[in-house]
Amino acid sequence: NAGVMQNPRHLVRRRGQEARLRCSPMKGHSHVYWYRQLPEEGLKFMVYLQKENIIDESGMPKERFSAEFPKEGPSILRIQQVVRGDSAAYFCASSPSGDEGGRQPQHFGDGTRLSIL
Amino acid sequence: DQQVKQNSPSLSVQEGRISILNCDYTNSMFDYFLWYKKYPAEGPTFLISISSIKDKNEDGRFTVFLNKSAKHLSLHIVPSQPGDSAVYFCAAVKRGSNYKLTFGKGTLLTVNP
């Protein structure tokens, strides 16, 4: 499967615990985006990364959330001290480049459903 | 503020007829628009896109129309098939915004056999 791979598909955490969501982009893609979808809402942009660089984190909450895309391995979205409001579907998308005008559409993984007890 | 709006939460059509999904946007800086289709428990799948320099783009059964003056776009599916039943998201990209997508809330399309 050459698509965007996210794991785990489902993650249950208790309030105060940490959640780690992983994303492996499509082969040949070097740009990773994270989006969050709350119930009954559209997807909202969180962060855009390239290898070893955070390019745009304007959609990330200021506290408890962080993201990385190391030289080797998947991109990680980390949520510390989770609260009930963090319950959502988290989607990762990748693209081969950041061509002006978005001529390369982003390809999405199937998401991680995070539930906070 | 909702910069991309899909005002119809749901739409039901008969198989073989045309499905028209609508999307409005408020930000004139958007210059590229995309439609994604999403099945339950799956990620969005890219369908079709259109640049702001065009007013129409067609791909098989799918056609997207853009009316820049009205800040409105629509997705036409002809003929509709039961397998088209899904949530359809309209998304927009602003020039110079790192290509991040701004999504509408989606429209649930149900195609009845």
Side-chain angles (χ1 to χ4, degrees):
Chain A
N1 185 346
V4 178
M5 302 301 294
Q6 290 189 248
N7 66 83
R9 292 294 312 276
H10 301 273
L11 183 60
V12 180
R13 285 286 178 266
R14 297 189 180 280
R15 282 177 293 171
Q17 291 185 320
E18 178 180 289
R20 281 184 177 236
L21 288 62
R22 288 176 291 277
C23 168
S24 296
M26 281 181 72
K27 189 174 181 180
H29 287 193
S30 57
H31 298 239
V32 166
Y33 300 78
W34 285 92
Y35 295 84
R36 176 167 67 175
Q37 184 183 23
L38 295 170
E40 310 301 323
E41 296 285 325
L43 284 74
K44 295 268 194 311
F45 167 79
M46 299 182 75
V47 61
Y48 163 45
L49 310 101
Q50 296 175 23
K51 283 285 187 183
E52 300 185 280
N53 283 303
I54 297 175
I55 307 302
D56 183 341
E57 56 182 348
S58 58
M60 287 276 269
K62 294 287 182 270
E63 297 177 350
R64 303 186 298 107
F65 284 72
S66 62
E68 63 177 7
F69 189 15
K71 187 176 179 182
E72 302 290 337
S75 175
I76 307 283
L77 179 67
R78 182 182 177 206
I79 311 172
Q80 295 178 288
Q81 299 175 323
V82 296
V83 301
R84 288 249 170 88
D86 297 333
S87 294
Y90 291 81
F91 291 96
C92 169
S94 71
S95 69
S97 69
D99 279 332
E100 185 60 50
R103 283 187 288 275
Q104 300 286 348
Q106 295 171 26
H107 295 264
F108 283 81
D110 285 338
T112 294
R113 271 89 186 151
L114 176 64
S115 298
I116 309 302
L117 301 179
Chain B
D1 65 332
Q2 193 73 20
Q3 298 186 64
V4 177
K5 300 178 185 177
Q6 294 178 256
N7 292 320
S8 298
S10 62
L11 174 68
S12 184
V13 299
Q14 284 299 121
E15 181 178 4
R17 307 293 292 267
I18 184 171
S19 296
I20 301 177
L21 297 106
N22 293 303
C23 178
D24 297 292
Y25 61 97
T26 57
N27 195 324
S28 55
M29 295 294 289
F30 288 137
D31 68 344
Y32 198 73
F33 303 89
L34 307 92
W35 284 93
Y36 281 84
K37 169 178 165 180
K38 185 181 180 303
Y39 294 117
E42 294 185 10
T45 302
F46 170 72
L47 269 180
I48 192 168
S49 61
I50 188 167
S51 165
S52 60
I53 62 174
K54 297 188 174 183
D55 55 17
K56 177 182 174 181
N57 188 25
E58 191 172 353
D59 183 0
R61 295 187 298 115
F62 303 93
T63 303
V64 56
F65 295 92
L66 175 63
N67 182 334
K68 279 183 64 178
S69 60
K71 293 191 177 69
H72 176 84
L73 62 154
S74 60
L75 174 67
H76 293 212
I77 307 173
V78 181
S80 302
Q81 300 172 354
D84 295 330
S85 297
V87 177
Y88 288 78
F89 288 101
C90 172
V93 177
K94 265 183 259 185
R95 183 178 300 275
S97 70
N98 291 316
Y99 324 108
K100 56 195 178 195
L101 298 170
T102 302
F103 283 88
K105 290 188 177 183
T107 297
L108 174 61
L109 172 67
T110 303
V111 180
N112 300 303

